[in-house]
Amino acid sequence: MEKLLRPVRDELVKNRYDMGRIAAQTAVATAATYAVMTGFDLPHTSWAVIAALFTIGLSVDTSYRNAIGRIAGASFGVLLGLATAWTVTEPVIIGLVIAAAIANAVAVPWPRLRYAAVTAAIVAMQPSPDPAPALQVVGAIMIGTLVGAATALLILPVFGRDRVAVLIRQALADCGELLGLMDGGTGNDARRRRDAVHARLLSRLETARAAEAQFSPRLANGMPLRQAITAVEALWQAIVILDRALRSPSGTLGHDGVDQSHPVIGEASRAARGFLDQINAAIRHREVQTPETRDLRRAMGAAAAAAADLAAGAEDPGRIRALHTLAFAIAETERSLLRVARVVEPMTRTDRQDAARWRPRRDSNTQPVD
């Protein structure tokens, strides 16, 4: 029973703030919509309340998108329903089928208009194509939609860019955890821990990419959200390559832990984790100071050189290839970390000059910094 309840408990704890916030917005929007409709003695109160409920989203951006789509869809649906009712008077089912089919077909290229099918069906089922009742329904939907959107903006508002910033910070923390798990061995328990972190990180990145960010889709420092997400994703991919290179049977530095087999690899991992901690702290506190890169470059450079030295002294072709892959993975991880640093602040002129000096030659196996 404990195993069954634990995921539910974890989800409740993780989402407790959003659950409380959405509950508060829903309560206010419902009460305000009901008060407006009954206070002005307007018909179709239920339609207004339903519209308000379905307008509220996880962020102000989502609520805004829902509101625009609902108003546009309701208006288009009424026009479509009236046109169908006036064109096909008998039997009613033919007009209903035509209106619903056209409305849902139009929603394929324009998903925001998917609500059109609802109002189109309502109007098409009327025994007489009188526009007055249809307009009353649309009016109620618009009132509820506007109240819902206003509530999302005024009551405990959360913008999409803030949600994405949190997901980016969490994904960077996951990257740091993966770096810390590299010397955790090759057993089933260690592998399960790494797989769990990989799955969690991938879920965060997918959620961040799908998040609505209609208003100022940038971090506090001005970096576009998509660029920041791409930088974190590139870092994760580099860590995956590094992890596989370290665990390759022909390329591993030893059967003991990373620190015991070659200290510079462990030092590089610690430097990378510390660098990620600085980036996360800067994002959390909205600082605009680029983390110091000197220690990171020194540690990663020493680790890459160690892998290259081991490759030079190896005789087995498979081990040589694996060690060259390891050197590449270390360099790629360093490059990705420097790229992620731009999430905090775009690189200064000095940083660009340092990056240019570090950038490998064109004939190497690595790619230049973006």
Side-chain angles (χ1 to χ4, degrees):
M1 181 62 68
E2 176 66 20
K3 291 183 178 179
L4 295 176
L5 294 178
R6 186 180 303 162
V8 177
R9 181 192 61 196
D10 292 343
E11 287 298 317
L12 291 175
V13 172
K14 182 175 67 175
N15 296 292
R16 62 185 182 278
Y17 175 75
D18 282 338
M19 292 174 64
R21 181 174 59 84
I22 295 299
Q25 291 178 348
T26 301
V28 172
T30 301
T33 303
Y34 183 83
V36 169
M37 297 300 292
T38 56
F40 289 94
D41 197 23
L42 298 174
H44 306 296
T45 301
S46 59
W47 279 104
V49 172
I50 292 172
L53 294 178
F54 281 95
T55 298
I56 295 175
L58 284 177
S59 66
V60 175
D61 310 68
T62 304
S63 300
Y64 167 79
R65 184 184 179 91
N66 291 342
I68 296 299
R70 202 163 303 282
I71 291 174
S75 303
F76 173 69
V78 166
L79 295 177
L80 179 60
L82 288 174
T84 305
W86 285 331
T87 303
V88 183
T89 56
E90 292 293 341
V92 173
I93 189 173
I94 295 179
L96 171 62
V97 170
I98 293 175
I102 294 176
N104 268 346
V106 171
V108 173
W110 296 288
R112 291 189 183 188
L113 298 179
R114 61 182 177 274
Y115 200 72
V118 176
T119 53
I122 293 173
V123 175
M125 285 190 296
Q126 297 297 324
S128 61
D130 184 6
L135 293 177
Q136 290 176 349
V137 172
V138 173
I141 292 173
M142 288 185 176
I143 290 173
T145 299
L146 293 174
V147 172
T151 302
L153 180 62
L154 298 175
I155 306 298
L156 303 175
V158 171
F159 288 89
R161 62 175 181 268
D162 298 322
R163 292 183 60 82
V164 175
V166 171
L167 289 168
I168 288 174
R169 193 175 71 240
Q170 292 172 340
L172 289 175
D174 291 336
C175 287
E177 186 174 351
L178 285 174
L179 288 169
L181 290 173
M182 283 187 181
D183 59 350
T186 58
N188 291 333
D189 291 341
R191 185 170 60 253
R192 279 195 293 268
R193 288 197 299 271
R194 288 193 295 271
D195 289 345
V197 179
H198 280 299
R200 187 172 67 231
L201 193 154
L202 183 58
S203 175
R204 297 194 205 281
L205 292 175
E206 290 176 346
T207 303
R209 286 192 177 278
E212 300 282 354
Q214 302 287 335
F215 304 102
S216 183
R218 295 174 179 271
L219 295 177
N221 60 0
M223 171 166 281
L225 294 176
R226 296 299 178 190
Q227 187 175 348
I229 296 170
T230 300
V232 177
E233 188 174 26
L235 173 61
W236 170 57
Q237 293 169 350
I239 292 174
V240 170
I241 297 173
L242 178 60
D243 184 56
R244 290 179 178 176
L246 283 170
R247 299 183 192 287
S248 170
S250 57
T252 184
L253 300 181
H255 297 292
D256 298 328
V258 170
D259 281 331
Q260 289 78 11
S261 59
H262 211 295
V264 294
I265 303 295
E267 183 182 349
S269 176
R270 288 189 292 273
R273 295 201 302 272
F275 192 73
L276 284 174
D277 289 342
Q278 294 179 50
I279 293 174
N280 255 336
I283 294 176
R284 185 182 300 108
H285 301 298
R286 293 183 177 273
E287 297 176 359
V288 292
Q289 182 178 1
T290 303
E292 176 59 51
T293 62
R294 185 181 300 107
D295 292 340
L296 175 71
R297 293 175 187 274
R298 182 174 59 250
M300 300 298 282
D309 290 342
L310 288 172
E315 297 181 357
D316 179 62
R319 181 173 173 79
I320 293 173
R321 285 194 300 270
L323 288 167
H324 280 307
T325 301
L326 176 59
F328 166 80
I330 294 171
E332 191 67 20
T333 302
E334 178 185 358
R335 181 166 37 257
S336 298
L337 286 167
L338 295 175
R339 185 181 179 187
V340 166
R342 298 174 62 191
V343 173
V344 179
E345 179 185 26
M347 297 179 79
T348 64
R349 182 175 180 181
T350 303
D351 291 330
R352 292 181 187 276
Q353 291 172 350
D354 290 342
R357 286 195 295 269
W358 171 84
R359 186 181 292 121
R361 296 179 180 177
R362 292 288 183 178
D363 58 353
S364 66
N365 292 328
T366 55
Q367 306 257 341
V369 177
D370 291 339

